[in-house]
């Protein structure tokens, strides 16, 4: 271990940051693989000078440099004890584009899909399409020689890397690119430096026919199009310098792509791009078994498809419980053993249709398949989203027996795939007695195979190595590649010698020694890899601790396993350009510590190692990474593994408070309802206090709120009081009062208690009764919206009853006071379980409040109330959902509404919880009911307010940064005639403070359109 002084001195010489605290080292100790090892430090270089400084430091102290971008490697490529160099944090610029030559120059931190957004106006795209393309960075794609679903047409990253500029291990800056014979000779005869020594070494190695013969005979056979086994000497010797029949220029980029950062530290990549492809369609052919689908793959490949991907029954089963992917499995008919997704593209739709008919006929003639739906347009994107989610979604399997990443990257020739998988499956079931998940690139001969077993046991650890050894033997039998696209890393490195033979491995060793004589570049990868069953995340040495929690985590078998669901695939690292909500703080800061992955990993770490601390819940490290979690719930649906960090944070926070006490501000925020109840007796005085500049500033400073944030004001009455008066005016119907409800319209907390308008037995309300959950925000602050909601429903023929209930507990959830929230949840279920029915549902105006019934409530109940809570959750609807349901039933029609004069544009920002737990589709349907209304959904994530988060002084700036990502610019660009809609009270407040525009609840817009 280096002395801290050496790292401190290094930090002073860098313009970027150097972190050597335990938190950052822990967050960079893992990637998306099974491995975990604490690095020496984490560097975030800003300039090329920083990289040169880091290389000099590594040479002087003989420490390794581990280059890293998004950290989504599946074989442990960016895990190690050296100094992690996160080149993706700052070196992320698109340098130039030459549309005529179809070339673009980028830094390593450019995200693949964001690059394609930039290229699209030029009619170009960078073709390799990994499942992680919405966050995978070019540096990592070059390091791993990434492929993707379209590699059967476009090949791998290696085929598109034209040149690269970067540093050799001695700190010299060089450029590698295509060379003619004469240019290659000139490089070999250049000055005696590391660059020329490299060229001379390659010349001396590959000009020998015997060496080339060894490589030809022992590397994977040429028809295996995906092969990342060791260093790609086979690709280098295909050039004109060594093959007189070839016209290919010599290019060391062929070797560097796939070298996993062990030879060279690239700072700039010149990439070849392709014209945008024509439109296409997907056939999602259904088969009874995986083997049947693989036989069909051989037929499909004769049609030269753009993609040919397999999804097996295990993944399809997992999509049923995944909030996001359950919406994308619409094409699945029944429960097939496998679905083969075949993509055909052509400018002429008729030709695609004809090709699909022929393909289906050939499948049927071969007796393969039983359903062949063909999809077009946006439906295709949904299928690909489901397929791409496979890597993370398979971790939703309950229990410690998980689909393990041991042999998931093997590739063989596509014609060998059916026989290979048949033998593979026989090995798994026959010798090991386990099942396996199969998915992905069937058309390229690379089916991702993940055996299910428990790596936390001694037996599982032994199986980890035994399976890897047996499968390596099987792959070698077919002359395949142990790594098709995900690289060797720590997982497969020790098997390279077995795969290619001792002589070829010796050549690879000499490559490493020539490029990197002191082994500073990513040591322990490809050459001299440590044993593949060491430095794992999970250890069989200790049993998992069993923690008592307030939330019921039994669905994931405990809170630790709920955190362990995070596989590290990094979907939480996508930016606002990629859409979605997860993760708003990362989108603003671009810091790894602000990702969903970081929070889950840190919590997993402290809960897995309880002996390191007296109380693992009392963790300042967890507190640090949880601080910027907005509890937006985006991860609950968008994370492929459904890691619900908002719930994990709330649970952790309650235990942290148990150890340290509850801060004053948290108590103040949680006490929102009681404060508003008291203030409602004198709303004018309260409103003056929170709006008068001097007084308001003092209140904010005292409370820890941001001075620049406006405070919510009170309506002159409460919704409960208004509703009670309306009931008394018309004539109260006792039949509408729920059992036990007081008649004065308010319970002990100032919330509603049983008032109703006339009974649904009258002709006033032909469409029946609904129960309105009068949430604390609508009751006190957004009363006008609540009034309009009641009036709207009445006018549409619904009796509105406000049943007896207590506050939702949302403020308590947001501040981690889970026990208090549990008290409210239990009471609400007790009061409402006998009242609410499918025909008379509970509807809510504020998404975060009503959706608590679906999300948190069922997992906070005592045993005797669990079934009641689950039943109630099914009948707790957003008012948008209810109206959309009634539209579908024909009980609400356009006849009730005035048509817009001309057309009325409405820009809609969805509430985070609604997007995560429900959908914006009902809101759009509701708003577009009046003729002429046209809704444009703003592609925003979280608004940045997140309840109290945006009020807090230390979070205000970040709150505004999040708003500026998408939401604020979209609102500012809208014309004055455009209506801004936002269902969430916090969202409307954020829009008002950030843009000075008034956003309306969708109900207000629909109410205004009534005849």
């Amino acid at each position: 271990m280096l002395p801290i002084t050496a790292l401190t001195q290094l930090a002073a010489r860098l313009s970027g940051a150097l972190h050597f605290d335990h938190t950052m080292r822990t967050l960079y100790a893992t990637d998306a693989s099974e491995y975990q090892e604490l690095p020496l430090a984490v560097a975030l270089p800003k300039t090329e000078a920083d990289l040169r400084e880091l290389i000099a430091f590594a040479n002087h102290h003989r420490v390794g440099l581990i280059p890293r971008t998004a950290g989504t490697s599946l074989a442990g490529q960016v895990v190690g004890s050296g100094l992690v160099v996160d080149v993706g944090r700052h070196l992320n610029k698109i340098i130039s584009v030459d549309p005529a030559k179809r070339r673009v120059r980028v830094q390593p931190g450019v995200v693949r899909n964001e690059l394609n957004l930039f290229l699209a106006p030029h009619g170009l795209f960078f073709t390799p399409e990994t499942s992680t393309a919405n966050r995978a960075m070019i540096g990592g794609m070059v390091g791993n020689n990434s492929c993707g679903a379209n590699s059967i047409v476009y090949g791998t990253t290696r085929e598109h890397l034209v040149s690269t500029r970067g540093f050799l291990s001695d700190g010299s800056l060089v450029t590698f690119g295509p060379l003619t014979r004469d240019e290659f000779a000139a490089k070999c005869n250049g000055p005696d430096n590391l660059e020329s020594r490299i060229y001379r070494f390659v010349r001396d190695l590959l000009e020998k026919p015997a060496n080339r013969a060894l490589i030809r005979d022992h590397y994977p056979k040429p028809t295996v199009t995906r092969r990342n086994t060791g260093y790609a000497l086979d690709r280098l010797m295909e050039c004109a310098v060594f093959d007189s029949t070839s016209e290919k220029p010599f290019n060391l980029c062929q070797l560097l792509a796939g070298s996993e950062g062990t030879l060279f530290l690239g700072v700039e990549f010149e990439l070849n791009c392709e014209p945008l492809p024509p439109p296409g369609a997907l056939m999602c052919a259904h088969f009874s078994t995986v083997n049947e689908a693989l036989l069909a793959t051989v037929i499909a490949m004769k049609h030269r498809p753009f993609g040919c991907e397999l999804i097996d029954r295990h993944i399809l089963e997992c999509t049923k419980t995944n909030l996001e992917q359950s919406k994308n499995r619409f094409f699945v008919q029944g429960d097939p053993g496998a679905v083969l997704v075949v993509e055909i593209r052509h400018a002429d739709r008729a030709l695609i249709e004809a090709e699909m008919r022929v393909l289906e006929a050939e499948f049927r003639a071969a007796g393969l398949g039983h359903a062949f739906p063909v999809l077009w347009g946006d439906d295709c994107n949904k299928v690909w989203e489901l397929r791409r989610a496979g890597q993370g979604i398979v971790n939703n399997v309950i229990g410690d027996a998980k689909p393990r990443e041991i042999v998931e990257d093997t590739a063989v020739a596509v014609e060998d795939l059916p026989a290979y998988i048949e033998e593979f499956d026989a090995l798994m079931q026959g010798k090991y007695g386990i099942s396996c998940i199969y998915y992905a690139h069937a058309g390229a001969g690379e089916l991702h195979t993940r055996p299910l077993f428990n790596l936390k046991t001694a037996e599982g650890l032994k199986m980890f190595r035994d399976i890897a050894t047996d499968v390596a033997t099987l792959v070698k039998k077919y002359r395949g590649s142990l790594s098709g696209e995900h690289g060797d890393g720590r997982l497969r490195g020790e098997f390279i010698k077995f795969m290619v033979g001792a002589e070829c491995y010796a050549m690879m060793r000499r490559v490493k020694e020539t490029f990197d004589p002191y082994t500073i570049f990513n040591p322990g990868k490809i050459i001299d890899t440590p044993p593949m069953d060491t430095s794992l995340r999970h250890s069989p040495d200790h049993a998992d601790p069993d923690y008592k929690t307030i939330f019921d985590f039994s669905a994931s078998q405990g809170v630790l396993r709920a955190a362990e669901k995070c596989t590290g695939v990094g979907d939480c690292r996508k930016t606002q350009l990629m859409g979605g909500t997860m993760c708003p703080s990362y989108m603003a800061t671009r810091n790894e510590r602000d990702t969903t992955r970081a929070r889950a990993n840190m919590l997993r770490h402290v809960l897995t190692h309880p002996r390191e601390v007296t109380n693992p819940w009392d963790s300042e490290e967890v507190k640090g990474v949880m601080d910027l979690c907005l509890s937006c719930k985006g991860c609950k649906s968008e994370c492929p593994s459904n890691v619900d960090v908002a719930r994990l944070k709330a649970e952790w926070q309650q235990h942290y408070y148990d150890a340290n006490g509850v801060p004053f501000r948290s108590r103040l925020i949680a006490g929102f309802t009681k404060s508003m109840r008291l203030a409602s007796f004198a709303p004018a005085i309260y409103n003056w206090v929170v709006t008068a500049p001097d007084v308001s500033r003092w209140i904010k400073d005292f409370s820890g709120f941001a001075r620049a944030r406006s405070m919510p004001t009170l309506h002159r009455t409460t919704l409960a009081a208004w509703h009670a008066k309306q009931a008394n005016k018309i004539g109260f119907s006792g039949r509408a009062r729920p059992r036990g409800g007081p008649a004065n319209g308010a319970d002990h907390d100032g919330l509603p208690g049983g008032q109703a308008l006339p009974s649904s037995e009258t002709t006033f309300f032909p469409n029946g009764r609904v129960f309105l959950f009068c949430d604390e925000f609508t009751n006190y602050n957004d009363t006008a919206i609540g009034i309009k909601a009641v009036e709207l429903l009445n006018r549409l023929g619904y009796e509105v009853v406000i049943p007896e209930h207590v506050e939702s507990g949302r403020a308590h959830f947001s501040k981690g006071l889970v026990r208090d929230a549990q008290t409210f949840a239990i009471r609400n279920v007790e009061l409402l379980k006998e009242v609410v029915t499918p025909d008379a549902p509970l509807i809510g105006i504020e998404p975060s409040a009503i959706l608590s019934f679906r999300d948190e409530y069922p997992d906070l109940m005592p045993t005797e109330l669990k079934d009641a809570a689950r039943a109630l959750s099914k009948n707790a609807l957003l008012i948008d959902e209810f109206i959309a349901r009634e539209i579908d039933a024909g009980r609400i029609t356009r006849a009730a509404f005035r048509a817009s004069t001309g057309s009325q544009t409405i820009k809609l920002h969805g509430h985070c919880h609604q997007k995560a737990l429900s959908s914006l589709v009902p809101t759009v349907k509701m708003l577009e009911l009046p003729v002429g209304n046209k809704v444009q959904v703003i592609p925003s994530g979280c608004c940045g307010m997140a309840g109290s988060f945006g009020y807090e002084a230390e979070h205000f700036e970040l709150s505004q940064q999040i708003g500026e990502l998408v939401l604020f610019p979209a609102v500012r660009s809208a014309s004055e005639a455009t209506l801004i809609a936002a269902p969430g009270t916090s969202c409307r407040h954020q829009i008002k403070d950030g843009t000075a525009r008034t956003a309306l609840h969708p109900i207000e817009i629909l109410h205004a359109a009534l005849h």
Side-chain angles (χ1 to χ4, degrees), residues 279-293:
L282 300 181
M283 175 183 286
C284 299
H286 291 42
F287 302 90
S288 300
T289 65
V290 168
N291 187 258
E292 189 181 349

Side-chain angles (χ1 to χ4, degrees), residues 914-988:
Q914 181 177 358
K915 287 183 283 193
L917 304 169
S918 174
S919 169
L920 290 180
V921 172
T923 311
V924 173
K925 177 179 288 189
M926 178 182 79
L927 286 173
E928 290 189 339
L929 188 60
V931 174
N933 280 7
K934 184 63 179 176
V935 176
Q936 298 174 359
V937 176
I938 299 173
S940 48
C942 179
C943 72
M945 192 66 155
S948 64
F949 184 90
Y951 288 98
E952 296 162 359
E954 70 274 24
H955 296 145
F956 175 76
E957 184 178 348
L958 178 64
S959 169
Q960 297 304 100
Q961 289 175 9
I962 294 170
E964 292 289 356
L965 293 173
V966 176
L967 178 59
F968 291 173
V971 171
R972 293 190 194 109
S973 67
S975 68
E976 288 298 320
T978 297
L979 299 179
I980 308 299
T985 184
S986 294
C987 305
R988 295 191 297 276

Side-chain angles (χ1 to χ4, degrees), residues 230-263:
Y231 295 127
L233 293 171
D234 55 336
R235 300 304 301 267
L236 270 188
M237 72 183 199
E238 294 172 355
C239 70
V241 171
F242 305 113
D243 184 351
S244 59
T245 65
S246 173
E247 296 182 357
K248 293 181 182 178
F250 177 88
N251 193 338
L252 272 174
C253 290
Q254 296 285 299
L255 182 70
L256 298 177
S259 63
E260 302 180 6
T262 62
L263 305 178

Side-chain angles (χ1 to χ4, degrees), residues 465-684:
R465 169 170 288 281
D466 290 347
I467 289 175
T469 303
D470 287 345
V471 171
T473 302
L474 181 61
V475 172
K476 188 170 182 178
K477 170 184 174 180
Y478 286 91
R479 276 198 66 191
S481 175
L482 208 54
S483 169
E485 63 173 338
H486 295 156
D488 296 309
R490 303 179 67 135
L491 181 60
R492 289 174 275 269
E494 69 167 290
F495 295 101
I496 296 175
K497 184 176 181 179
F498 168 76
M499 297 302 295
V500 300
E503 292 169 300
C504 287
Y505 186 73
M507 295 183 204
M508 292 183 187
R509 178 182 293 282
R510 290 171 59 196
V511 170
K512 173 65 173 175
E513 291 169 348
T514 303
F515 271 85
D516 185 18
Y518 298 117
T519 318
I520 67 165
F521 283 159
N522 211 5
K525 317 303 188 307
I526 298 182
I527 301 298
D528 295 331
T529 308
M532 55 84 69
D533 49 359
T534 58
S535 299
L536 298 173
R537 286 193 192 198
H538 306 292
S539 170
D541 299 333
H542 307 289
D544 285 342
D546 185 20
Y547 294 101
K548 185 176 181 180
T549 58
I550 304 153
F551 278 112
D552 180 1
F553 286 97
S554 60
S556 55
Q557 297 186 354
V559 65
L560 175 57
R561 290 176 179 84
E564 286 177 343
K565 288 171 68 176
C566 175
T567 61
V569 296
D571 220 343
C572 45
R573 286 180 59 98
K574 65 182 186 292
T575 71
Q576 77 279 4
L577 297 176
M578 297 296 99
T581 301
M582 177 182 71
C583 172
S585 52
Y586 173 77
M587 289 181 182
T589 69
R590 305 294 178 91
N591 291 326
E592 172 67 26
R593 68 177 292 141
D594 299 324
T595 61
T596 302
R597 173 171 71 180
R599 294 166 187 136
N601 269 339
M602 183 56 72
L603 185 60
R604 173 183 62 82
H605 177 79
V606 299
L607 295 181
T608 307
H609 301 87
R611 298 179 184 181
E612 296 180 6
V613 290
T614 305
N615 176 7
W617 295 105
D618 184 12
S619 168
E620 293 301 314
E621 289 187 307
V622 175
K623 181 181 179 182
V625 297
M626 291 293 187
D627 180 54
L628 298 187
C629 172
L630 282 74
S631 298
C632 68
K633 289 286 179 181
C635 50
K636 185 178 177 71
S637 61
E638 292 178 30
C639 169
S641 302
N642 293 147
V643 180
D644 188 350
V645 167
R647 179 171 296 191
L648 292 172
K649 176 185 177 180
E651 182 73 40
W652 163 80
Q653 212 164 16
Q654 177 69 80
H655 294 284
Y656 183 83
Y657 291 156
D658 292 345
N660 298 279
V662 182
F664 166 74
R665 189 177 63 189
S666 295
R667 281 288 184 201
L668 182 66
I669 293 168
F672 168 84
T673 302
K674 289 184 178 179
S675 300
M676 291 299 99
R677 176 175 177 261
L678 290 173
S680 68
F681 288 106

Side-chain angles (χ1 to χ4, degrees), residues 108-126:
V110 171
V111 173
R112 185 269 185 185
N113 279 3
E114 293 184 15
L115 172 60
N116 281 347
L117 286 178
F118 171 83
L119 292 171
H122 301 288
L124 301 172
F125 79 124
F126 178 60

Side-chain angles (χ1 to χ4, degrees), residues 714-849:
L714 283 170
H715 196 269
R716 63 180 179 273
T717 185
T718 66
L719 178 59
W722 174 87
H723 192 264
K725 288 179 182 178
Q726 297 305 304
N728 290 331
K729 280 181 186 178
I730 299 175
F732 181 78
S733 167
R735 287 186 299 275
R737 183 191 305 135
R739 186 165 42 206
N744 64 357
D747 64 14
H748 64 281
D749 279 331
L751 290 175
Q755 289 290 9
L757 293 184
S759 168
S760 58
E761 293 175 11
T762 72
T763 58
F764 287 110
F765 306 116
N767 287 334
R769 175 183 299 169
V770 296
F771 293 101
L772 179 66
F773 185 76
C774 184
D775 66 86
E776 50 271 33
F777 313 104
T778 306
N779 192 41
Y780 295 110
N781 307 107
D782 296 324
T783 308
I785 297 172
I787 292 171
K788 289 179 180 178
V790 174
E791 291 177 344
L792 174 67
L793 291 168
N794 288 162
R795 294 276 296 279
L796 293 174
Y798 299 89
E799 176 193 16
V800 179
V801 176
I802 298 183
E804 180 183 2
H805 64 77
V806 295
E807 66 181 281
S808 69
R810 175 48 54 196
H812 298 81
F813 284 127
S814 72
K815 301 314 295 178
L817 293 165
V818 182
R819 290 194 188 90
D820 291 343
Q822 182 182 39
T823 300
F824 294 121
I826 291 172
R827 186 59 182 147
N828 275 327
V829 172
E830 288 173 340
L831 290 169
L832 297 170
K833 62 186 176 70
E834 302 295 338
V835 176
V836 175
T837 68
D839 294 328
L842 183 70
I843 62 175
I845 296 168
E846 168 55 34
S848 63

